[in-house]
Structures are given as structure tokens and as C-alpha cells.
Amino acid sequence: MDRRHYAFEGTEPEIHGNAHVSNESTLVGDVEIESNANVWPNAVLRGDIGPVRVGPESHVGENATIHASTVGQRSMIAAGAVLNDAEVGDNVLVGFNATVNEVTIGAGSIVAAGAVVLQNTDVPPHSFVHGVPALTTPLEETGLNAEGLFEAYSTGKYANLAARHEELFE
């Protein structure tokens, strides 16, 4: 099966044996995909000016772009999201088509679909980030059921689904 994994200046992507990475995703350079993580078709992970790390049990959706960024454990980067020089904590949900540029997202936070988080923003843990430009609200003030959302969009469900798509994943 053809793979779109490329070395950059002598550094090749590393994929844990239990991870599921679509054959139709692109990984370049210093990229590490940890145990039980999954990367779906047309995602681009580019570790050239800085490393890309996708933590254990995390999910990177279709058409997401991750450049020089770190994604913590059990976090979800939804389809179409863009991370550039970002640090995403553990148990974070970054929604569809959100843009996160030179930002730190604290653990247990939710970035709404379509949000544009301005550069040099530090999002505290357990926050809800929404809008263009994004506003940050403590999750406890929103009435959102964060645990319910994480359960509904559980990365574990995606890992199980990835395992069932044998032809898409190596």
C-alpha cells in the first residue's frame, strides 16, 4: 500500500504499533504518533520547523492540519481543524474547522467548531473557547456537560472505528 510518509532532513515519522494512521494521510519529518492514537484520511502532520506529537488515545480527523504542534493524551482534533505551533493539553476537544495558531490550550478544554483562537493566547484548563475571534469562558459557567461531550466524541470510539477500516489504515 502506498504511504505518504516523508523524511525531512533525516528525520522520519514514528508510528506506534498500536496506532492507526490512514494510508491517505501525510506525515512529514519529526512526527510521532503514540499508542492507540488515530489519524484519518487527508490529515497533514508536518514536523519540519518543530516536532508534531499526537498523544496516546488521541484522534486527528479528516483534513486536519497539524504543524509544529503537540496534542496531549485522549484529545480530539476534529476534521478540518488547523493547529500551528500550538500546544494542546490532555482531554481537549478542538472542533471542526477551528484555527489554533501559536496558542496553548489547557487540559479539559473545548474549542468550538469554527473558532479562531488568536496567536499568543493561553487558554486556561477547563475552558470553552468560541467565536471569531475566540472568546474564552470557564466551562463551569457555560452549562455545557463537558464529560458528556467527551463521551459522545470519545477518541476510543474512533480508535475502534479505525480498526474496522482495514483498507484505510496501516
Side-chain angles (χ1 to χ4, degrees):
M1 180 75 54
D2 185 33
R3 295 181 341 162
R4 298 184 293 184
H5 299 177
Y6 306 97
F8 178 75
E9 295 181 344
T11 303
E12 303 226 6
E14 294 182 25
I15 302 169
H16 188 279
N18 291 339
H20 292 88
V21 176
S22 169
N23 296 316
E24 297 174 6
S25 63
T26 302
L27 279 58
V28 179
D30 191 0
V31 173
E32 182 179 355
I33 311 299
E34 294 189 42
S35 177
N36 295 315
N38 56 85
V39 178
W40 285 75
N42 298 315
V44 176
L45 286 70
R46 202 174 92 224
D48 49 12
I49 64 167
V52 170
R53 300 289 179 259
V54 177
E57 301 179 39
S58 288
H59 161 77
V60 178
E62 297 90 335
N63 301 310
T65 300
I66 301 178
H67 181 238
S69 298
T70 300
V71 176
Q73 181 172 340
R74 203 175 155 258
S75 291
M76 183 170 193
I77 310 304
V82 177
L83 304 180
N84 181 61
D85 196 18
E87 185 174 327
V88 175
D90 296 340
N91 301 305
V92 169
L93 173 62
V94 177
F96 298 109
N97 299 311
T99 301
V100 178
N101 185 34
E102 296 180 26
V103 170
T104 299
I105 306 291
S109 293
I110 297 171
V111 178
V116 177
V117 188
L118 299 178
Q119 47 185 101
N120 301 319
T121 299
D122 286 326
V123 174
H126 308 289
S127 294
F128 177 57
V129 184
H130 54 97
V132 180
L135 302 172
T136 300
T137 305
L139 268 172
E140 63 191 27
E141 294 178 14
T142 66
L144 290 172
N145 176 357
E147 287 303 315
L149 284 170
F150 280 111
E151 184 59 34
Y153 297 102
S154 168
T155 57
K157 290 180 184 177
Y158 277 92
N160 292 335
L161 186 58
R164 293 168 38 205
H165 280 282
E166 293 177 24
E167 292 185 21
L168 282 178
F169 296 91
E170 47 181 53

